[in-house]
Amino acid sequence: MASRLFSGMLDAIDRGAFPRTRKWAWRGVYNMLSRFWRDDDWRFMNYGFLPPGAPFALRAEDEPERAFIGLYQQAVDGLPVAGARVLEVGSGRGGGSRYIARYHAPAQMVGLDYSPDTVRRARQLNADTPALSFETGDAEHLPFPDGSFDIVVNIESSHCYADVAAFAAEVSRVLAPGGWFTFADMRRRGQLPELNSQLSTPGLTLESACELSPGVVAALDASERRKRERIGRALFMKSFITEFAGAKGSIIYKALVRGDAAYVACRYRKTGTAEQS
């Protein structure tokens, strides 16, 4: 039953059906998970990414989260984060924003999420991190003035939005001239041209794009045992959570392995130069 429900949700997303309802439904899912999945050592809700080659440096206490942190490391690697004003849209439980704040020394790190319960949970889990704050808000109507940020991060969140093009336009608006927008998410392969069109908004220039799928599958494999332990402790909806988490055998896991779905990463730059901001 859970697999059929999740498959139906994915099919509706593919068709672009009921976008406003979809947005509301995803917020309900994340509110529910924040209320009932209360593990204090679980700050991430993404599928993760393990890049090829030598592993990037992490402190010993962060090693259990390496698979999930990988998506954020690839997102900001090489960007001028030190001293920058950084916004993460769709920050979830806050692990990614916390990683950027602790490892890359931004002047300001703001995490924004549509789910009020998730924002409350993020504040509890990450209260020990300076220069980090969390706010509730809508990705399609960002509650910030023009030019407020130097970098906007968006990881595995855009599939929940009703209007991705409106989100991209808002990113362009809140970025300062010369600022960076770094994006990663998954789509059915046939949806990629539409996604590219949605993100191609005036004021943003595509600088790079790549597919992360093999590294995402590697991360899912690496985190499988830990996820199964958490799912085993759940009191209800175990099958749905298994699908949601991308565990082995789930619809999303199989789609990534077969190549029916693709996990992509893109970087865009705001027109203009930093001196103009």
Side-chain angles (χ1 to χ4, degrees), residues 42-64:
W42 197 279
R43 291 186 172 92
F44 292 86
M45 301 181 76
N46 66 62
Y47 287 168
F49 173 67
L50 290 175
F56 56 92
L58 278 180
R59 300 165 192 164
E61 65 267 25
D62 295 319
E63 278 295 337

Side-chain angles (χ1 to χ4, degrees), residues 91-134:
S91 52
R93 295 164 74 96
S97 292
R98 181 176 186 264
Y99 166 73
I100 294 171
R102 292 171 66 232
Y103 280 80
H104 294 275
Q108 178 190 24
M109 182 73 230
V110 179
L112 180 125
D113 201 273
Y114 192 49
S115 161
D117 287 318
T118 301
V119 169
R120 282 191 286 271
R121 192 71 182 127
R123 288 171 177 164
Q124 294 168 357
L125 290 173
N126 306 289
D128 62 343
T129 306
L132 173 61
S133 63
F134 295 95

Side-chain angles (χ1 to χ4, degrees), residues 104-181:
H104 294 275
Q108 178 190 24
M109 182 73 230
V110 179
L112 180 125
D113 201 273
Y114 192 49
S115 161
D117 287 318
T118 301
V119 169
R120 282 191 286 271
R121 192 71 182 127
R123 288 171 177 164
Q124 294 168 357
L125 290 173
N126 306 289
D128 62 343
T129 306
L132 173 61
S133 63
F134 295 95
E135 298 186 24
T136 302
D138 188 340
E140 299 161 33
H141 304 280
L142 294 174
F144 306 107
D146 297 359
S148 299
F149 297 96
D150 305 301
I151 299 172
V152 174
V153 180
N154 186 242
I155 302 293
E156 204 172 298
S157 177
S158 69
H159 59 275
C160 301
Y161 303 163
D163 190 340
V164 175
F167 159 64
E170 280 291 274
V171 170
S172 180
R173 181 184 65 78
V174 303
L175 273 176
W180 290 90
F181 171 38

